[in-house]
Every structure is written in C-alpha cells, then in structure tokens.
Amino acid sequence: MTTQLLLGQTLSFTGDPFLQPWTDCVSHHERGGVLIADGRIAVVGDRASLQAAHPQATVTDYGRDLILPGFVDAHMHYPQTRIIASWGKRLIDWLNTYTFPEEMRFADPAYAKAVAEETLDLALRHGTTTLCSFGTIHEGSADALFSAAEARGMRIVAGRTCMDRDTAPPGLRDTAQSAYDESARLIERWHGRGRATYAITPRFSPTSTEAQLEALGALWAANPTCLMQTHLSEQVDEIAWMRDLYPQARDYLDTYESFGLLGPRGLYGHAIHLEPREIDRLQEVGAAVVHCPTSNTFIGSGLFDLVGLKRRGLSVGLATDTGGGSSFSMLRTMAAAYEISQLRGTAVHPAQLLWLATEGSARALHLDGLVGRLGPGAEADLVVLDLASTPAIAQRAARAEGLWDTVFPTIMMGDDRAVRATWVAGRSAPRPA
Ligand SMILES: [Zn+2]
C-alpha cells in the first residue's frame, strides 16, 4: 500500500455552517497533516502524531499552506471556455452573439477534445478537482470531456446539451428523439464508469419543445441514478420569454416539473427570481439550486438569495458558470458570492464560503462523502493554498489575527497564484505550463 503524508494547516467541516454556528462545525489543525492511502484520505490530524505513527509514508511538507478538499464547480459550460469575458450582452443576446456560434464548432471532435483538455487543465490550475459541465448538442462534446477527465483521473459530471426548439439556431438543434437516443448512448458509455456521472441536460425550457422535455423526463425515469442539470429563472427577460412559450405553466419550475424533470437529483442553475411555489417545491423534493455569482454580476442577472434559500433548507451548490461567469477561480467565485450577499444585507462568513465551494457543491451533485470533504474515506482530491500568494495578500495576511482573518484575504483577492498544488485521487496533478 502506498501512503502519502501531506503536511500543512488543515481545515475540515463536521456540519453545515449555514445551519449551525460555524464555530461548531470547523476542525482546524494549525500544524496538521493528511494521510493518503490508495487514493483516499485515511487520517486528518496533528502532524507530529501522524509522522510518528506513519514513518514509512512519503512526506510532502507544505509548511503553513492550507490544505483543503479540492474545489467543486457545480455548474459550468466547458464549450464556452474560449468565449469567457465577451463584452456587453445580457443573457439572450449573449447566447445568440457569442455562445451559439462557438458551440457550433463542437461538431468537430478535434476541437471539442482540445477545449475539453484546456478546460480541465485550467480547472486543476485553479484548484478545482470536480466539475459539472454542460456540453453542446453534439454527442462527441460529452465524449471529449469524459475522456479528458478520465485521462486526468478526475471526477466529472457532464451531459450532452439538448435543444430542439426553433429558438435555437439552425445547426444547433436536435430533435426529441435524437436527444433521447444520443443521451441514452452516453449514459450507457459513461455513467458510473470510473469517476464519471452522467447528467441529463436540457439547456433550459426556452430552447426545448414540450416533446423534448417529455422525452428527457422519460430518460431520467429510466435512469434514476443520473443527475439532471438545467437553468432556472436567471433573468427577468428570460422568464417573460418562457411565459410566452409556455402559457399554461404555473411558473418556470413547472415547465420542468410537468415533464418529469423535477427530482432530488435535479440541479437548477441560477434560480435567482423564484416564486414562493418554486422554492417550496425545490425544498420538498430535495433538489439543488446552483449559485453562479460571477455570472450573475457579469451578465447582469440579479442577486441570488443565498442565506434565505439555505435557511429554507434548500441544497445549494456554488459554481463558476464559465464562460457566462467571468473567472475559472472558485476563490473569485466565493468572493463574488460574498459581495452579492453583502448587497442583500448579510455578511457570509469565510467558513460558509469554503464549505459551499467544497462540501456544499458536492452535496448538490450527490457526491458527498466522495469529494468536497477532508475526512477519512473521502477520495484524496485536494487543493493546497498559499495564504500569502501576492504582495497585496501577503501584506494583509502578515497582520492577520487568527485563522479566518488569514484566510479571508485569499478568498477575496486570490486566484490561481494562490494554488500551490492540486491533488487528484491521491496524486499531485502536474501543473501545466
Ligand atoms: Zn449555465
């Protein structure tokens, strides 16, 4: 058995810091260590006792750097990596101007492969070890991402995006039948293979017909261990558009619910402008909503009610939503979540932000216990953060008092320069040039 001992500060959570005082659910070792055996975390504890008990382990000493579970990005679009930070549009124009022309290029498997590899290497550079991504309507777009993740040993959730309504451009439209058949083939090929999970992926109800939503609902019913990912109530204009297309629907969520696309393994990205009934139903079924704060400010969507929805008992994940989101960094994403909560009148604690970017997202993806947690039995996907990675952060950290005062400047000002190392399944991920 190969054992690795990583030394540094360790931080782990024993509960949800949104539901109980964060002081009751944080375990911190200032001089800590993580023992890894066969790709899983075996022990987290005090460095001296771990070194004494495991003298045969290969030691990597990160000094005062902070060892955390690798970040979990619960909603993103890898096909949009190359259009990140495109200027000046709101959701519907942004899709038509930038997104759809780029997504057409994924008909070419070589292009899909190149962008999939580039995206996963960017994720690892930023300390993100698990992604949940949309593909394009091309079956090969999902194959490309699953293959690239498998080659890197990464845990991945992904799906082929489905759009058959004439609101999507010609060339980027499938049918109810082809969406069903190609998604079913991908489930057969990838779902549960190694570290892969398949997510059935209607882009959102404005680009699908009722027939397609119904077909995908039937596919989910036939494959209930799959996840289902889509978008919900991102922008006010989008909701008005949805109402034109689905005049009979009680609300936006109803366009999914009516066709079997509401369930405990459902992931609803954005969920900013929710009706009371929608919140009730999401809570009742145990579905997850995914907060994409840099996207919400970049595209001008609105202020997600993080604290309110957590108080209501909803499962909430955190995500970059690249390329609508403006950063690949989950540190920058936590900073934006903090800023949006401030605009709503609540200062979210750094413990809550770190929990959301790891365990919170893992729970949303039904991967809790496997990733997002620094504890025995979890897969050894880790990020090691330098808490003084730039001169601006270092001068602030130098006068910090206590753990959270030291960590918060890196959350607010950090990026990939703060990521000293990323570990995937117990192996240090090579840092791409
Ligand atoms: Zn999205």
Side-chain angles (χ1 to χ4, degrees):
M1 187 165 80
T2 55
T3 55
Q4 299 266 354
L5 181 57
L6 277 50
L7 303 177
Q9 296 195 63
T10 62
L11 187 60
S12 42
F13 292 96
T14 54
D16 180 344
F18 285 92
L19 303 182
Q20 54 191 109
W22 62 264
T23 44
D24 295 351
C25 45
V26 171
S27 167
H28 173 231
H29 291 279
E30 195 166 352
R31 292 178 57 76
V34 179
L35 186 79
I36 300 170
D38 291 334
R40 287 185 183 262
I41 296 170
V43 189
V44 179
D46 172 68
R47 87 156 58 191
S49 45
L50 279 170
Q51 277 183 298
H54 303 278
Q56 80 292 358
T58 307
V59 174
T60 308
D61 190 347
Y62 290 114
R64 293 191 54 77
D65 292 348
L66 180 66
I67 305 172
L68 292 171
F71 298 129
V72 179
D73 184 348
H75 176 120
M76 57 92 64
H77 301 254
Y78 96 83
Q80 298 172 20
T81 287
R82 291 184 180 176
I83 58 157
I84 191 169
S86 293
W87 182 83
K89 302 291 181 191
R90 292 171 66 85
L91 179 62
I92 298 164
D93 286 343
W94 191 83
L95 288 171
N96 287 321
T97 308
Y98 299 120
T99 308
F100 291 153
E102 175 66 9
E103 289 194 3
M104 285 190 200
R105 305 182 73 166
F106 286 73
D108 174 6
Y111 190 80
K113 179 175 189 287
V115 179
E117 292 180 344
E118 196 173 306
T119 302
L120 294 184
D121 290 340
L122 278 167
L124 293 173
R125 168 181 280 274
H126 287 84
T128 299
T129 49
T130 299
L131 302 171
C132 178
S133 182
F134 286 62
T136 61
I137 66 151
H138 312 98
E139 188 173 350
S141 71
D143 284 317
L145 189 63
F146 282 123
S147 297
E150 190 172 72
R152 286 158 181 74
M154 290 174 74
R155 197 162 263 295
I156 190 84
V157 181
R160 169 203 180 283
T161 295
C162 304
M163 318 195 266
D164 70 333
R165 200 181 266 271
D166 61 7
T167 46
L172 212 54
R173 244 181 258 157
D174 53 13
T175 65
Q177 190 65 50
S178 69
Y180 184 98
D181 293 344
E182 292 184 24
S183 301
R185 285 205 295 263
L186 286 161
I187 290 168
E188 181 75 22
R189 247 187 333 270
W190 291 106
H191 184 57
R193 169 168 152 181
R195 305 188 77 195
T197 300
Y198 194 82
I200 294 165
T201 307
R203 174 174 230 114
F204 60 165
S205 44
T207 48
S208 287
T209 61
E210 286 91 337
Q212 180 167 77
L213 295 175
E214 192 170 5
L216 295 176
L219 183 65
W220 198 17
N223 297 275
T225 61
C226 287
L227 298 177
M228 191 290 302
Q229 62 177 342
T230 190
H231 296 88
L232 177 68
S233 294
E234 179 176 356
Q235 290 209 336
V236 172
D237 291 355
E238 169 211 12
I239 295 168
W241 188 29
M242 175 283 298
R243 287 205 177 282
D244 282 347
L245 297 170
Y246 294 86
Q248 78 292 355
R250 289 174 287 180
D251 46 43
Y252 202 151
L253 187 66
D254 197 32
T255 62
Y256 301 120
E257 187 172 1
S258 310
F259 299 107
L261 293 171
L262 175 63
R265 297 175 83 83
L267 295 158
Y268 304 85
H270 302 292
I272 298 170
H273 310 281
L274 296 178
E275 303 286 340
R277 191 201 80 87
E278 296 177 300
I279 297 170
D280 290 345
R281 287 298 291 141
L282 289 163
Q283 191 273 330
E284 279 164 19
V285 304
V289 294
V290 186
H291 182 25
C292 308
T294 70
S295 170
N296 299 161
T297 52
F298 184 73
I299 304 186
S301 301
L303 306 177
F304 178 81
D305 185 12
L306 172 59
V307 171
L309 293 174
K310 282 295 296 178
R311 274 201 197 113
R312 283 295 312 277
L314 265 70
S315 173
V316 180
L318 186 68
T320 63
D321 191 33
T322 50
S326 55
S327 174
F328 294 99
S329 170
M330 288 295 281
L331 292 169
R332 176 67 203 120
T333 302
M334 284 181 255
Y338 176 80
E339 289 162 350
I340 287 178
S341 279
Q342 280 284 60
L343 286 168
R344 293 191 65 108
T346 305
V348 177
H349 192 271
Q352 295 173 313
L353 294 167
L354 286 175
W355 182 87
L356 202 63
T358 54
E359 174 100 30
S361 281
R363 285 190 191 183
L365 300 178
H366 291 255
L367 295 174
D368 44 313
L370 296 174
V371 297
R373 192 166 59 90
L374 204 63
E379 296 168 351
D381 288 355
L382 307 168
V383 58
V384 183
L385 294 180
D386 172 358
L387 299 176
S389 62
T390 67
I393 297 172
Q395 62 83 29
R396 175 64 183 85
R399 59 178 293 171
E401 292 175 9
L403 171 68
W404 299 112
D405 201 29
T406 311
V407 170
F408 191 55
T410 286
I411 291 177
M412 292 309 298
M413 297 193 284
D415 52 31
D416 53 322
R417 290 169 291 179
V419 176
R420 181 155 173 209
T422 305
W423 287 68
V424 175
R427 297 168 66 159
S428 176
R431 202 170 166 83

